[in-house]
Amino acid sequence: MKYYVNAAANAGGDGSKANPFNKIQQAADIAVAGDEVIVAPGIYRENVNPKHAGKEGAPIVYRSEKKLGAHITGAEVLKDWKKVEGSVYTARVPNSIFGKYNPYKTLVSGDWFIAYFIAHTGDVYLNGKSMYEVQSLDEVKAAAPSEAAWDTDFSRFKWYAEQDKKADETVFYANFLGKDPNKENVEISVRRNCFYPQKEGIGYITLSGFEVSQAATQWAPPTAYQEGMIGPHWSKGWIIEDCEVYESKCSGISLGKYKQPNNDNKWLKTKYKDGTQTERDCICQAQVEGWNKENIGSHIVRRCNIHDCGQTGIVGHLGGIFSLIEDNHIHHINNKQNLAGAEIGGIKMHAAIDCIYRRNHIHHCTRGIWLDWQAQGTRVTQNFFHDNCPPRRPGKNIIAEVAEDLFIEVSHGPTLVDNNIFLSPRALKLATQGVACVHNIIAGSFTAVGRGCNNGAPTRPSPRYTPYHMIHRTEVAGFMTILHGDCKFYNNIFIQQPICTEFAARMLDNAHNDWDDSNFVVGTKPYNNYPTFEEWDAQFKGYCGMGSQTTDRYYSELPVWAEGNVYLNGAVPMMKEKPGYVDSKTEVTIGYEEKGGKIKLKTNLYDLIEKGDIPAKAVKGKLMKTEDIPPAFEPEENYENPDGTPITFDTDFFGTKRAGNKVLAGPFAEPGDAKNSLF
């Protein structure tokens, strides 16, 4: 059955092509498995709540008739602004328009949220872009720029809201800096979500080709009910494709956790149990309550443009298992810097079990991808990362968090990172173990190696025990602290880039922080003191584990493997690395450029190889296969496909096949491939 929706239609339609509905919700109330809802171009100011699930092989498809023509928004236009003074105006709305959820009475809050700034879940938008909330009318009038914001100039556009309890109205004040709000498009967020089932288990839904924006979403930590503007809400088999998703207060798309009333933000509410312990409780409870491959996850998010969200572009815990995130453009996340906490990134996922992140372009985010806990069977491949760090402004202090392209935290692996390009000053934060990096260009440093895995108690041991799982399943196989090491580096190209003075100073300030060493030397050098496999194995010679003899064997750092890597521009290998190629004399440049809508790598590296300044034989490596990489230690799982089949690393960044007899280090099969458009 096909249903048609057109915002311009009269009320009372029957959903036929000749007499369409004028609200998407009207179709969402009746569409069932196998049905298609076709939505005409227009603005749909509603929170669509799909009432029925599709089935495997027969999803319910919601399709914009014209790609990005149908716009679902959580905002309403706010008119009748009256001047207060200068460029400051005021306007009022009756609180009845918000229903049971008033975003201007609701503060952003939750576990791991750092409430250094009072923020409401609502926002005020000028021509589609959110302005900056402040705490008083005086601050609105002052219009002072935020040094933490990435867009300093626009940060002067301020707003403030207060409640007139007697009139039961929300009163807004805003500084439009010379613009007339009665002539511009000024909106306020009214709805909490845009396309989100209110019940769990509404699976097998496809959302295709929509513009989705401006919802008043709440902070989404892993211990809470995680919401987004769009999301499957604890179900299976969603496809979100070809959408533009932007200006969510917190998260754009949630593949995350259902609500556990007994655990929801428990750390925030009681403080008796540490947040890490409540997280373990959430995982075990979910396992009893149906968290498995048969019921949950296996979602696809593809070809979406996700940008300008306050917390994350994509968030998830438990609910995103076995998912595929591919061909997305994720950028400008958390750039306002008005939200802070341990749940921020272009993508922030806990329990990314057997998830694949491939061919995504991720940039200008406060952190690119953050894989936190249970990154088991996870693969990050063929992605391009850059500028995932605060703006480097010569002569100015860097206030924003110094972040990185990829953060893998307290996981036991296997986490596979292959055929990517990392160009931010900090490439990988590795407070973890069980990671294999194969065929990447890494032009940023490794940080937090050997640290960042405790809870920070000042005088008592506070290690974080995290779960590992049965192979390719969700059942918990055990819990263990992070021993560090168990990392493998093959056929990567490491390139040291210049670090600006302000950036280096900010990082050095953090050098002795237990959570982050702020190393900015590129290469595997942070693993200098880790054992080789032979050294580690020698501890167990002649020891059968009998008796009560105490030993450090089971708590020492795990071995690290490195082979076939190339180090350029002063990048430094670990001391025990097998012979690769090190060249600190030849000047290698690397960056990117955008021309005609195409992104290209801008580097002299491959010209130097073709001219022989860097010997071609020096950058040749071995064709790697799953069998060549030692399995992740704790789960005893191979670096393999989600279906258990082995991987041969014969496919490069572009999908081009590598010839077995001339394998180049780095993500390209041939030097000339580096001149192709990346996107």
Side-chain angles (χ1 to χ4, degrees), residues 237-347:
W238 274 48
I239 298 174
I240 303 166
E241 62 183 13
D242 299 311
C243 292
E244 182 177 10
V245 180
Y246 62 96
E247 284 290 4
S248 174
K249 182 67 178 204
C250 290
S251 294
I253 296 172
S254 172
L255 305 180
K257 186 178 156 291
Y258 68 113
K259 187 170 184 177
Q260 297 174 336
N262 57 311
N263 283 325
D264 197 58
N265 284 315
K266 188 174 184 177
W267 186 31
L268 174 72
K269 294 171 182 175
T270 70
K271 293 295 183 184
Y272 293 138
K273 283 188 176 180
D274 187 274
T276 298
Q277 182 61 22
T278 63
E279 174 114 353
R280 286 187 285 263
D281 292 348
C282 287
I283 293 165
C284 293
Q285 180 177 332
Q287 185 172 287
V288 172
E289 294 179 344
W291 177 53
N292 55 49
K293 188 174 185 178
E294 290 68 37
N295 297 322
I296 303 299
S298 297
H299 306 300
I300 298 173
V301 181
R302 61 190 177 201
R303 301 186 302 273
C304 290
N305 179 11
I306 306 169
H307 60 95
D308 291 289
C309 298
Q311 180 191 339
T312 63
I314 302 174
V315 74
H317 180 212
L318 303 175
I321 52 176
F322 310 105
S323 290
L324 173 62
I325 315 295
E326 65 177 359
D327 298 308
N328 299 290
H329 185 194
I330 302 175
H331 56 105
H332 296 92
I333 302 298
N334 189 239
N335 284 189
K336 290 173 73 175
Q337 288 286 304
N338 62 329
L339 303 181
E343 307 301 328
I344 284 171
I347 300 174

Side-chain angles (χ1 to χ4, degrees), residues 475-494:
E475 292 87 351
V476 173
F479 288 84
M480 187 53 185
T481 58
I482 301 301
L483 300 176
H484 301 284
D486 191 30
C487 290
K488 301 93 180 177
F489 305 98
Y490 303 104
N491 295 349
N492 301 288
I493 297 176
F494 293 93

